[in-house]
Amino acid sequence: MIHMTFLFSFRLCQGISQEKALFYPSMANEEDDPIIQEIDVFLARSLLEKLYLFQYPIRPASMTYDDVTHLSAKIKPKQQKVELEMAIDTLNPNYCRSKGEQIALNVDGTCTDETSTYSSKLMDKQTFCSSQAASNVSRYAAAVYKKGELHLTPLHGILQLRPSFTYLDKADAKHREREAANEGGDSSQDEAEDDVKQITVRFSRPETEQARQRRVQSYEFLQKRQAEEHWVHLHYYGLKDSRSEHERQYLFSQGHGLAENTELIKSPSEYLMMLMPPNVEEENEKPMAPSNVLSMAQLRTLPLADQIKILMKNVKVMPFANLLGLLGSGTDPTAVLRCVQQVALLVQGNWVVKSDVLYPKDTSSPHSGVPAEVLCRGRDFVMWKFTQDRWVVRKEVAAVTKLCPEDVKDFLEHMSVARINKGWEFMLPYDEDFVKKHPDIVQRQQMLWMGIQAKLEKVYNLLKEHLTPKKQEAQSAHPLLVSGEQRVNMAKAKVKQNFGQLEKELQRQKAEMKSNESSARPDVANIRIKEEPVSLEEPMDTSAHEGLNNGLVNGLHPAQGPLDPVNGHLPGGCIDRVAQELKAFVSSTFKKQFVLTLSELKRLFNLHLASLPPGHTLFSGISDKMLQDMVLDTGCKQILVPFPPQTAASPDELKVYALWEAGDTYDQHRQVLLEIFSKNYRVRRNVIQSQLSQECGEDLNKQEVDRVLKDCCVSYGGMWYLKGTVQS
């Protein structure tokens, strides 16, 4: 998807003529009404074809839809049709229990099995079906206002949800079956068999074109086509869920923080050239070039965004320095950075063209006929693997993506080179210069890769071995036997390349030697010895990585941070600052979530790191043990949930931590609830409510129980689980 950003501006004026000044600027000038504020408007396109507006039926003002339990949801994207199943509060005093039991009896009868609509013998849920509220939604958008900026996202559809009464049809069908059974039972058993009738076989004539068109446009045919589209099951996340907060960030424009759109700003000479382009003489003598081939002179007549798109589509992998060289002198690097992010992704410091640029929508593979959407997912998986390692194995890619060998070979040839008995190596070396100069771009690309990784995990069901980079032996790019002359030449080339940096380092060392001449102690300030960590646990993904990328995993070099360990340990003041920052993060996170698994906590910590500026104290490296110790120090406790023996959860998902004391009136209730889940993996609501009433010594109302359950639990299939422990 190509992300585009458009910048507009609103001006608010002082006095009673603010609306007039907004829509009638000439009247504002006449009244001499000064401008008091300007609001920039950005158009975000990350959710262009994914954002829907649901209009629910009217509910009491005190009830929000975050309080309603969503049991299931499914959608047909082509028809823009949605079905939601919500729980009904059967404990509400306004709920008629006898009527609910009668409806459940009419629908399911006396027997209960897997096909029953209401397994609890009570109408405890209701289904809502959608209909399109407007055929043309291009005039509508969702707006988010933040820090003086208004971000608009166009809506893909507006759906009105209305109650569905299909259960009444099922009750009528049951009634008709019972009547037919009664009539069949009254009939005599001695009736003679039906007379044998003669059957005439006829062959249908060939269908004409007019008859076929009438059949295609008929109501029955359209209904059959709609029924053929399969339902796509969805999962509902609450307003305060971490996944909702992550997806909400896509409502903001991705590239608005870099610089103003220079394409909308033209000099007088350029503007005049656009109004009156020079006459181009026809050159009939030159042979006609293919339609997909452009010369560099023709290329530079196009807008900057089109130039970059054409170059990246043809070259596919390119360092940023080479891209600037092809665009010509005088090109603004900031504008190039903004445009290249729309058509390419950062892999090992180099830019690789996006998959949807190579495989547009409604196209297919020339080898296997696979649609473009499947090809884009497979190529994104290959690109993501190269962000983790320098080497990729072709058989592993084919086993995960399930694509034909020709398609997989095309993906690998776009960005890598085959090595005999080794695999496929990324074709360009790691670009450290770009990573050091543009840490903000690197962090933004890391956030995009985290979102792509989450989608790939759901689509391909990636295992832990796929997510963890393989530790390979360091493979030298030089021969084992190197002559002395070759070593001298290599050293001279390296000195010429880093002459400026070496000169500064030499001057710094001379200055330090002069300042320490009076001291008898040896100068050990520049001597740094790396030691292995004392803890047996491996550091988290947030720490510096070691591998074939010289300690770089598509991100910042650890030497950029201000905290550089000396002899494997941080200075005392640095340790205190890191502990304070980590404690503040853990405390604020658990006050929002109350219950978290170690896996979810690490994911939230990675998102927190991505939002921090370069060189922050938390980039010094936080291990799993440090994070768990800090969780226990902030007043949290580990809940030993008795998971079932056949669970497929990882060890980090089995570690559950909960905030034991939050300082509010619900501390005792939450503690009782957590003790319940330390004995059972899943619990019914009536058991929780009775246990709370017994332990707290009072009859709790529904609102208090819902508040406690909402803080710590989620509902799935009529049962309640601690957050993060549901294994679907």
Side-chain angles (χ1 to χ4, degrees):
M1 183 180 295
I2 301 176
H3 300 277
M4 301 178 65
T5 304
F6 299 88
L7 175 61
F8 302 93
S9 178
F10 282 137
R11 293 186 176 184
L12 299 182
C13 299
Q14 190 176 13
I16 61 174
S17 60
Q18 292 182 0
E19 297 180 357
K20 295 180 180 179
L22 181 60
F23 298 100
Y24 303 97
S26 60
M27 296 181 64
N29 295 333
E30 292 176 1
E31 298 176 1
D32 194 20
D33 201 359
I35 298 172
I36 60 174
Q37 186 180 2
E38 291 187 4
I39 300 175
D40 294 335
V41 182
F42 297 89
L43 180 60
R45 299 175 64 90
S46 299
L47 302 177
L48 181 62
E49 298 181 356
K50 303 176 184 178
L51 190 61
Y52 291 85
L53 175 64
F54 290 177
Q55 296 179 348
Y56 289 85
I58 299 176
R59 291 267 178 156
S62 60
M63 179 182 296
T64 63
Y65 277 90
D66 198 43
D67 299 329
V68 179
T69 302
H70 291 66
L71 300 178
S72 64
K74 54 185 179 179
I75 185 174
K76 289 185 176 181
K78 294 182 180 179
Q79 304 177 27
Q80 292 192 5
K81 185 177 180 181
V82 176
E83 277 192 13
L84 297 178
E85 191 173 86
M86 299 184 183
I88 298 178
D89 184 11
T90 58
L91 301 179
N92 193 295
N94 298 325
Y95 179 80
C96 182
R97 191 175 184 86
S98 60
K99 192 68 176 178
E101 293 175 350
Q102 183 63 36
I103 293 175
L105 181 63
N106 294 338
V107 174
D108 299 325
T110 56
C111 60
T112 57
D113 51 14
E114 296 180 356
T115 61
S116 300
T117 304
Y118 306 109
S119 58
S120 61
K121 297 183 180 182
L122 190 67
M123 184 180 177
D124 56 353
K125 58 185 178 182
Q126 188 175 13
T127 303
F128 292 85
C129 291
S130 68
S131 61
Q132 294 188 16
S135 58
N136 184 13
V137 297
S138 59
R139 300 181 294 118
Y140 301 95
V144 181
Y145 181 80
K146 182 179 180 181
K147 296 181 180 180
E149 297 176 352
L150 186 65
H151 297 257
L152 301 179
T153 301
L155 293 176
H156 187 59
I158 300 178
L159 305 179
Q160 289 183 348
L161 297 175
R162 298 188 176 98
S164 175
F165 301 99
T166 54
Y167 60 89
L168 297 179
D169 299 335
K170 189 174 181 180
D172 293 340
K174 291 276 187 181
H175 181 68
R176 287 194 294 268
E177 290 178 0
R178 287 194 294 268
E179 289 183 351
N182 293 334
E183 291 177 1
D186 296 337
S187 62
S188 175
Q189 299 294 333
D190 299 332
E191 288 181 325
E193 294 183 357
D194 295 339
D195 296 336
V196 177
K197 296 182 180 180
Q198 184 178 1
I199 300 177
T200 303
V201 179
R202 296 180 180 178
F203 297 93
S204 60
R205 292 178 296 178
E207 186 179 27
T208 62
E209 182 64 22
Q210 294 180 352
R212 190 190 69 82
Q213 292 181 359
R214 288 195 299 269
R215 180 177 59 83
V216 170
Q217 296 176 0
S218 64
Y219 177 76
E220 294 180 356
F221 183 80
L222 295 177
Q223 288 293 104
K224 183 179 178 181
R225 289 290 299 273
Q226 291 181 359
E228 289 177 354
E229 184 179 1
H230 298 289
W231 288 101
V232 179
H233 292 274
L234 308 175
H235 188 73
Y236 175 82
Y237 296 104
L239 180 63
K240 297 181 180 179
D241 193 272
S242 60
R243 295 178 179 87
S244 300
E245 296 179 359
H246 177 69
E247 292 294 329
R248 201 176 298 121
Q249 297 300 319
Y250 289 107
L251 293 175
F252 297 96
S253 176
Q254 298 295 322
H256 74 278
L258 297 178
E260 296 183 358
N261 194 343
T262 56
E263 294 178 10
L264 302 178
I265 303 174
K266 299 292 183 181
S267 63
S269 59
E270 292 175 341
Y271 185 68
L272 182 61
M273 188 69 68
M274 293 172 60
L275 293 178
M276 299 178 62
N279 295 328
V280 180
E281 298 181 358
E282 297 183 358
E283 298 179 357
N284 298 326
E285 298 179 359
K286 293 184 178 181
M288 295 296 294
S291 58
N292 62 339
V293 176
L294 288 176
S295 65
M296 292 302 297
Q298 293 174 329
L299 182 67
R300 290 176 181 175
T301 60
L302 300 176
L304 181 61
D306 294 339
Q307 295 184 42
I308 295 175
K309 182 177 180 180
I310 293 173
L311 288 173
M312 293 303 305
K313 189 174 181 180
N314 285 275
V315 182
K316 297 181 178 59
V317 183
M318 194 184 312
F320 185 71
N322 293 9
L323 180 61
L324 282 179
L326 292 174
L327 294 174
S329 59
T331 306
D332 185 12
T334 304
V336 176
L337 274 176
R338 185 189 63 254
C339 295
V340 75
Q341 292 182 80
Q342 299 174 4
V343 297
L345 291 170
L346 193 65
V347 179
Q348 299 191 20
N350 301 281
W351 291 102
V352 181
V353 65
K354 289 184 177 179
S355 302
D356 53 7
V357 177
L358 292 179
Y359 304 106
K361 195 176 181 181
D362 299 330
T363 60
S364 59
S365 169
H367 304 294
S368 59
V370 174
E373 183 181 0
V374 180
L375 293 176
C376 290
R377 287 202 301 263
R379 189 173 180 275
D380 286 345
F381 175 75
V382 176
M383 295 170 62
W384 172 75
K385 289 291 290 182
F386 276 118
T387 63
Q388 306 294 311
D389 204 345
R390 289 279 307 175
W391 299 84
V392 169
V393 181
R394 179 176 172 178
K395 292 183 179 179
E396 180 183 352
V397 176
V400 174
T401 60
K402 308 297 183 184
L403 294 174
C404 69
E406 290 79 7
D407 290 334
V408 176
K409 184 178 179 181
D410 286 347
F411 300 158
L412 294 171
E413 288 179 345
H414 290 168
M415 63 194 80
S416 58
V417 179
R419 306 295 186 190
I420 300 176
N421 297 329
K422 293 181 180 179
W424 292 77
E425 183 185 10
F426 194 72
M427 62 172 55
L428 295 179
Y430 194 91
D431 193 349
E432 285 193 53
D433 294 338
F434 179 83
V435 172
K436 292 180 180 179
K437 292 179 181 178
H438 305 281
D440 52 340
I441 303 295
V442 174
Q443 289 187 1
R444 188 175 292 108
Q445 290 292 314
Q446 284 179 340
M447 293 291 294
L448 292 177
W449 278 117
M450 290 175 62
I452 295 174
Q453 178 181 343
K455 294 179 181 179
L456 293 175
E457 290 178 13
K458 294 180 181 179
V459 173
Y460 293 129
N461 296 324
L462 298 180
L463 302 177
K464 193 172 182 180
E465 59 185 10
H466 297 141
L467 300 177
T468 305
K470 295 182 179 179
K471 295 183 179 179
Q472 300 183 1
E473 296 181 359
Q475 300 176 359
S476 176
H478 305 285
L480 296 177
L481 298 177
V482 182
S483 63
E485 183 179 358
Q486 290 178 341
R487 292 186 180 182
V488 171
N489 294 334
M490 291 168 54
K492 288 182 178 180
K494 188 174 182 181
V495 168
K496 290 181 180 180
Q497 184 179 0
N498 302 325
F499 178 76
Q501 183 178 359
L502 293 174
E503 185 70 21
K504 294 180 181 179
E505 182 68 18
L506 180 60
Q507 296 297 333
R508 184 182 65 82
Q509 291 182 0
K510 288 182 178 180
E512 290 184 357
M513 291 176 63
K514 290 181 180 180
S515 62
N516 296 332
E517 283 180 356
S518 59
S519 176
R521 297 176 58 186
D523 184 7
V524 295
N526 296 324
I527 302 176
R528 300 178 180 270
I529 303 173
K530 180 180 177 182
E531 293 183 354
E532 296 297 329
V534 180
S535 174
L536 296 177
E537 299 190 16
E538 295 183 356
M540 292 172 51
D541 294 338
T542 57
S543 61
H545 291 70
E546 295 182 4
L548 297 177
N549 291 340
N550 298 327
L552 296 160
V553 182
N554 200 26
L556 298 173
H557 197 282
Q560 294 177 356
L563 300 178
D564 195 6
V566 179
N567 294 339
H569 302 282
L570 291 172
C574 297
I575 294 176
D576 294 339
R577 291 200 305 272
V578 172
Q580 292 176 0
E581 292 287 343
L582 184 59
K583 185 175 183 180
F585 162 76
V586 172
S587 179
S588 61
T589 302
F590 273 94
K591 285 183 179 179
K592 294 179 182 178
Q593 304 289 342
F594 289 98
V595 177
L596 286 171
T597 62
L598 180 58
S599 176
E600 180 67 11
L601 181 61
K602 290 165 64 175
R603 191 183 70 84
L604 294 176
F605 185 65
N606 286 330
L607 290 176
H608 178 65
L609 284 181
S611 64
L612 296 177
H616 196 272
T617 56
L618 287 181
F619 284 112
S620 59
I622 306 297
S623 65
D624 288 359
K625 187 176 186 305
M626 292 172 60
L627 189 62
Q628 295 179 69
D629 292 342
M630 185 56 67
V631 169
L632 299 177
D633 291 342
T634 53
C636 301
K637 290 187 177 181
Q638 183 176 359
I639 308 302
L640 301 178
V641 180
F643 287 91
Q646 66 276 11
T647 182
S650 62
D652 288 346
E653 294 175 341
L654 297 178
K655 294 182 180 180
V656 184
Y657 296 93
L659 182 61
W660 196 252
E661 293 183 357
D664 55 10
T665 57
Y666 295 95
D667 279 346
Q668 183 181 2
H669 306 82
R670 279 192 291 266
Q671 293 172 8
V672 174
L673 180 64
L674 295 174
E675 291 178 355
I676 295 175
F677 280 100
S678 64
K679 301 176 183 178
N680 298 285
Y681 171 61
R682 55 184 180 180
V683 188
R684 294 189 178 274
R685 181 190 174 94
N686 56 0
V687 176
I688 295 175
Q689 190 162 0
S690 62
Q691 190 73 14
L692 287 174
S693 301
Q694 180 180 356
E695 294 293 336
C696 298
E698 56 183 2
D699 294 333
L700 302 177
N701 54 28
K702 177 183 177 299
Q703 288 75 13
E704 293 178 339
V705 177
D706 289 344
R707 169 65 185 275
V708 177
L709 290 175
K710 183 180 177 182
D711 290 343
C712 305
C713 305
V714 293
S715 176
Y716 186 79
M719 304 294 289
W720 288 88
Y721 302 79
L722 281 180
K723 288 183 178 179
T725 61
V726 180
Q727 302 296 326
S728 56

